[in-house]
Amino acid sequence: MPLDLIDSDPASAPDRPERPGRPGRRRDHSRDPEILDAAIEVLAEEGYDGMTMEMVAARAKAGKATLYRRWPSKGELVVDAVACMKSRDLDLDNLPDTGTLRGDLVAMIKPRTLEEADRKMQVMAGLMSVLSRSPELVEAINAAIVAPRAEVNRRLIERAIARGEISADIDVNVLALVAPSMTAYRLLVTQRPVDREYLLSIIDGIVLPAVGLRAPRA
Amino acid sequence: MPLDLIDSDPASAPDRPERPGRPGRRRDHSRDPEILDAAIEVLAEEGYDGMTMEMVAARAKAGKATLYRRWPSKGELVVDAVACMKSRDLDLDNLPDTGTLRGDLVAMIKPRTLEEADRKMQVMAGLMSVLSRSPELVEAINAAIVAPRAEVNRRLIERAIARGEISADIDVNVLALVAPSMTAYRLLVTQRPVDREYLLSIIDGIVLPAVGLRAPRA
DNA sequence: GGTATCCGAAACTGATCAGTTCCGTATATA
DNA sequence: TATATACGGAACTGATCAGTTTCGGATACC
């Protein structure tokens, strides 16, 4: 089970420039996105150990040699793929603002978001057994999957505090993790779906009561 | 990545009889516990794919052939090992009874319990990528790891309701999952330790406020 | 058109590992 | 003491897969 994700080059940015011209010139990295997307797909379906470089190449309609021309090993391709999985479903600069904490939290429940969360959790599950051996993977996952979701909740809660809706005497850091933790647990551990109903039961059964608010009468 | 945990025999009980006499007689299964324990250890350290039958055999000071005399495949050995990992740290018939919900919850925080939970989460992480392909593994994990912990919380909460400490108008099923979910998330996803302090912040920051109780002034 | 470059495909190497077979030995019963 | 059984160890097979090499074809530039 070799992993050697040493990746000793701290200057390697996870962000890649968009394709400059249309076709290739010099070092052409224009096909990187397709390959990284393919890697994420295979990762979600098969897990790290089940993923083979041939699967990724086939899915991206590329040759295996092409993968190795860009990434020195399977491990580094995976780290890169995860790092480039940045949230397209969450936009921190464009959060809902309904005037109430419950309204904001409920407004975050969108099919698109649920779907993205599910996909990310699949990827996470596939990488779980490898995490303890790869700090850079932990970091990549944290930045791409974990942190954004907690940050959304933190902002919504802080806004509710700022407008005086809820007490400032609240452990925001822990509270912001309730929903992400419980959805991850449900998806990963108990293998049951996270749907609107489950999220509402977390919001109305835990989060709102914990800050002294009540759900509207049904 | 073959798994074929078909295990089509529904009569195979996960409980094995204790060694009947001291040494072997006829079918001698007296070494099964050592082998299963070894499997759990390797599983926790290496994960399902990283675990080899040779590792398990070596750890149990057994021959690889001996493993295959007892279990038809790696997959079935693992299911059996998980099923036999029954909680020795949690005793549902002997729960703390301090008179308050907070007292009971805090009394559950014991070094022995924390350690066991950590070990079980390591095993869980190692099996995560395989879960989606093995319903019997999901079932075994659920019975051995997931259900007992939620059941403890459920009983403590229901007792608090029965004695009138908290309102009966509470979503017990969801509330009982808060602590297990958040500890699993912290251990598995963010790779940070679950210590007494973190558990107290869950109890005092989420669970108690959610049922309308306050933590004692520090 | 000529040339240089990157591409995908495919064959190849070496290592690892699930599962099998065989063998010499230890032990318990009789 | 003789016999039967299960043991641990070691050698073996077959499949899979990371990573490498080669090659013929496409495309961009001059």
Side-chain angles (χ1 to χ4, degrees):
Chain A
M1 198 61 33
L3 241 186
D4 42 280
L5 310 173
I6 307 140
D7 191 21
S8 52
D9 179 6
S12 70
D15 315 286
R16 310 194 149 267
E18 294 301 308
R19 54 190 87 177
R22 181 53 69 97
R25 178 218 290 264
R26 305 262 179 133
R27 289 282 150 189
D28 178 9
H29 282 189
S30 63
R31 304 259 354 246
D32 282 18
E34 285 93 324
I35 295 173
L36 294 171
D37 283 353
I40 291 297
E41 277 181 37
V42 177
L43 221 39
E45 291 166 19
E46 309 285 342
Y48 181 87
D49 293 288
M51 157 183 159
T52 72
M53 295 299 263
E54 303 228 33
M55 286 179 193
V56 176
R59 180 92 48 137
K61 295 191 203 308
K64 198 163 53 150
T66 303
L67 306 199
Y68 284 102
R69 280 182 201 115
R70 302 258 197 293
W71 294 275
S73 70
K74 174 180 171 178
E76 300 208 34
L77 167 61
V78 168
V79 169
D80 223 11
V82 171
C84 292
M85 206 180 28
K86 277 286 166 70
S87 299
R88 279 179 289 274
D89 55 324
L90 297 179
D91 180 4
L92 282 179
D93 298 325
N94 202 4
L95 294 178
D97 190 353
T98 64
T100 66
L101 179 57
R102 183 174 194 279
D104 290 350
L105 292 174
V106 171
M108 291 298 301
I109 309 176
K110 290 172 295 191
R112 178 85 183 81
T113 306
L114 261 43
E115 198 180 304
E116 260 298 298
D118 203 288
R119 174 191 204 68
K120 286 181 179 173
M121 284 301 127
Q122 298 296 344
V123 173
M124 175 94 80
L127 294 173
M128 196 121 280
S129 62
V130 165
L131 281 192
S132 56
R133 281 172 210 107
S134 172
E136 44 280 82
L137 203 46
V138 173
E139 188 44 46
I141 285 183
N142 205 52
I145 304 184
V146 177
R149 210 155 292 269
E151 183 60 21
V152 166
N153 291 330
R154 177 176 292 110
R155 292 200 187 185
L156 298 183
I157 294 166
E158 280 171 350
R159 210 163 54 188
I161 293 175
R163 76 167 83 92
E165 185 183 2
I166 63 177
S167 159
D169 185 21
I170 270 171
D171 192 336
V172 179
N173 286 327
V174 177
L175 195 66
L177 285 176
V178 171
S181 298
M182 295 190 71
T183 59
Y185 191 78
R186 182 164 169 107
L187 237 26
L188 297 179
V189 176
T190 67
Q191 305 259 311
R192 303 180 63 197
V194 170
D195 48 18
R196 184 180 179 84
E197 182 190 357
Y198 184 66
L199 287 172
L200 284 176
S201 74
I202 294 174
I203 293 172
D204 292 333
I206 308 291
V207 177
L208 295 184
V211 297
L213 296 176
R214 288 187 68 87
R217 290 282 91 205
Chain B
M1 199 58 36
L3 240 186
D4 44 278
L5 308 174
I6 306 143
D7 190 23
S8 51
D9 181 8
S12 68
D15 316 285
R16 309 193 149 268
E18 293 304 308
R19 56 190 87 176
R22 181 54 69 97
R25 178 216 293 262
R26 303 260 178 136
R27 289 282 150 190
D28 180 8
H29 283 187
S30 63
R31 304 247 11 235
D32 282 17
E34 285 93 323
I35 295 173
L36 294 171
D37 282 353
I40 291 297
E41 278 181 36
V42 176
L43 222 38
E45 291 166 20
E46 310 285 343
Y48 181 87
D49 294 288
M51 156 185 161
T52 72
M53 294 300 262
E54 303 229 32
M55 287 180 193
V56 176
R59 181 91 49 137
K61 295 191 202 311
K64 198 162 50 149
T66 303
L67 306 200
Y68 283 103
R69 280 182 200 114
R70 302 255 196 298
W71 294 274
S73 71
K74 175 180 171 179
E76 299 209 34
L77 167 61
V78 168
V79 169
D80 223 11
V82 171
C84 292
M85 204 179 32
K86 279 285 168 73
S87 300
R88 280 179 287 274
D89 56 323
L90 297 179
D91 180 4
L92 282 179
D93 298 325
N94 201 5
L95 294 178
D97 190 352
T98 63
T100 66
L101 179 58
R102 183 175 194 277
D104 291 348
L105 291 174
V106 170
M108 291 299 300
I109 309 176
K110 291 171 297 193
R112 176 88 182 79
T113 307
L114 261 44
E115 198 180 304
E116 260 298 299
D118 202 289
R119 174 190 204 66
K120 287 181 179 174
M121 285 302 127
Q122 298 296 346
V123 173
M124 175 95 80
L127 294 174
M128 195 120 280
S129 62
V130 164
L131 281 192
S132 56
R133 281 173 211 107
S134 172
E136 42 280 84
L137 203 46
V138 173
E139 188 44 46
I141 285 183
N142 204 52
I145 303 183
V146 177
R149 210 155 292 269
E151 183 60 20
V152 166
N153 291 331
R154 178 176 292 111
R155 292 199 187 185
L156 297 182
I157 294 166
E158 280 171 349
R159 211 163 52 190
I161 294 175
R163 75 166 83 93
E165 185 184 3
I166 63 178
S167 159
D169 186 21
I170 270 171
D171 193 335
V172 180
N173 287 326
V174 176
L175 194 67
L177 285 176
V178 171
S181 298
M182 295 190 71
T183 58
Y185 191 79
R186 183 164 168 106
L187 237 26
L188 297 180
V189 175
T190 67
Q191 305 260 309
R192 303 180 63 198
V194 169
D195 48 19
R196 184 180 179 83
E197 183 189 356
Y198 184 66
L199 287 172
L200 283 176
S201 75
I202 293 174
I203 293 171
D204 293 332
I206 309 290
V207 177
L208 295 183
V211 297
L213 296 176
R214 289 186 67 87
R217 292 281 92 204

